[in-house]
Amino acid sequence: MLIFSPEQPLLHPLHTEKSVEVYIKRDDMIHPFISGNKWRKLKYNLLKAKRINKDTLITFGGAWSNHILAVACAAAVEGFHAKAFIRGDQVSNPVLDMCRLFGMELIFVSRADYKDKKQLFESLGGNANALMIDEGGAGVEGAQGCSELLDELEQRYDHIFVAAGTGTTAAGLSLGITRHSLDTVLHVVPVLKGGLFIKEEMTALGASTVNTEFHTDYHFGGYAKSKPDLIRFVQSFVRQTGIMIEPTYTGKALFALHDLLEKGRFKKGSSILFIHTGGLTGLLGQLEYFR
């Protein structure tokens, strides 16, 4: 599948006020269902599955998981069967309905059982023809795919901002920065509490964190949690720019970028790239916040 991800100026009054140039890498435009970092993290998993003659993809996620939907669609596109273990009670929602439409088999498990993903994978039996893909596409293959984003950039940037859930995308960006011998500062915004674990995950994937800053105070209560300030920011940003974002990933990372700009953390004339990691179908479970 060809990747189309434009790199465009992000026009916002705050950027003009602070005399910085901000661009946005529109990975949300790669594909409507395999969007953003999801496609990048799946690319080498799909190639691996083909190389070792697997015909089934088995993965894991929550009931509103963008990753689950991406795997379901990617499997249909590439000719694989797909199964997913869904954390928590059996529910129905638009994201899971689309997964089923793509042909994915959904298996609901308790939160306690979900903690041992390897055991769940093995519990299906007869998995000789299946490839296990970790939650969120985390892992070496995912980082390798994300590292290729740096190959596509039209210019060099002083700073790159990205949201982080597992650390795989951040690791890939760091690997790409290193490969291109850039002095770019990578800014990682964990979307969960206790986000410094992202640093350990990046290191485990072979990525340097020497030129990386971790902004751990923008989780707004934890994963998929929100607060009125964040909701107001998302509403304002979408109305001012026409670019759709959501409050779980991109909203938190953009809030962090703008908050740091307000605090004068960047020199005048700095060039900043924000990575739009997609995940917009997650909005379907959060629209009540914007009514």
Side-chain angles (χ1 to χ4, degrees):
M1 190 177 80
L2 295 176
I3 285 181
F4 174 69
S5 174
E7 184 180 338
Q8 64 188 54
L10 185 54
L11 304 177
H12 190 280
L14 179 62
H15 308 162
T16 302
E17 176 189 337
K18 298 299 181 180
S19 300
V20 296
E21 291 186 341
V22 181
Y23 289 76
I24 184 168
K25 178 70 164 159
R26 296 291 305 275
D27 271 13
D28 57 308
M29 298 178 70
I30 290 175
H31 190 280
F33 304 109
I34 322 169
S35 77
N37 61 347
K38 302 308 179 189
W39 167 249
R40 297 186 187 277
K41 288 197 282 188
L42 286 175
K43 175 181 176 180
Y44 286 100
N45 280 291
L46 296 173
L47 290 173
K48 178 181 179 180
K50 291 180 178 180
R51 186 177 69 252
I52 59 179
N53 297 315
K54 303 295 186 181
D55 63 14
T56 302
L57 308 176
I58 298 178
T59 194
F60 312 84
W64 291 96
S65 169
N66 298 298
H67 166 71
I68 293 292
L69 180 58
V71 172
C73 181
V77 169
E78 299 294 335
F80 293 98
H81 302 294
K83 300 179 182 181
F85 287 98
I86 308 300
R87 179 181 63 250
D89 297 333
Q90 184 163 344
V91 296
S92 182
N93 65 45
V95 170
L96 295 180
D97 289 343
M98 285 189 285
C99 290
R100 292 188 181 97
L101 188 58
F102 281 125
M104 173 177 270
E105 178 185 346
L106 304 178
I107 306 164
F108 293 85
V109 296
S110 69
R111 293 179 181 275
D113 289 343
Y114 187 83
K115 293 178 180 179
D116 192 342
K117 298 181 181 64
K118 186 67 174 177
Q119 176 60 36
L120 289 175
F121 177 76
E122 294 173 350
S123 71
L124 291 181
N127 284 330
N129 294 324
L131 178 73
M132 175 178 165
I133 301 176
D134 206 347
E135 184 173 8
V140 173
E141 289 82 9
Q144 181 182 359
C146 291
S147 74
E148 294 177 350
L149 184 150
L150 274 293
D151 303 339
E152 304 167 17
L153 298 185
E154 299 173 1
Q155 60 179 302
R156 295 192 171 198
Y157 295 92
D158 299 314
H159 305 272
I160 293 178
F161 265 79
V162 69
T166 66
T168 296
T169 302
L173 294 175
S174 177
L175 290 169
I177 289 170
T178 299
R179 188 173 68 249
H180 286 273
S181 301
L182 303 176
D183 57 3
T184 303
V185 178
L186 178 62
H187 296 264
V188 178
V189 183
V191 300
L192 301 89
K193 283 184 178 180
L196 271 182
F197 80 90
I198 296 291
K199 182 176 182 178
E200 297 175 5
E201 295 297 324
M202 290 176 64
T203 301
L205 291 170
S208 170
T209 59
V210 172
N211 212 22
T212 303
E213 293 187 16
F214 296 89
H215 305 286
T216 58
D217 296 328
Y218 298 95
H219 54 75
F220 290 90
Y223 182 73
K225 299 292 181 62
S226 190
K227 292 185 179 181
D229 285 353
L230 177 61
I231 297 303
R232 285 193 292 269
F233 172 81
V234 170
Q235 288 175 318
S236 175
F237 179 87
V238 172
R239 291 170 182 173
Q240 287 179 304
T241 65
I243 298 173
M244 187 64 68
I245 60 173
E246 42 67 51
T248 300
Y249 291 98
T250 50
K252 290 180 179 180
L254 270 168
F255 187 103
L257 169 57
H258 280 211
D259 188 54
L260 293 168
L261 280 170
E262 291 276 15
K263 294 174 178 176
R265 287 284 303 275
F266 303 101
K267 296 179 181 178
K268 289 184 177 181
S270 294
S271 59
I272 302 169
L273 178 67
F274 182 84
I275 309 298
H276 193 316
T277 50
L280 294 176
T281 53
L283 271 171
L284 296 173
Q286 299 170 313
L287 291 176
E288 63 185 87
Y289 293 141
F290 300 96
R291 291 174 185 149

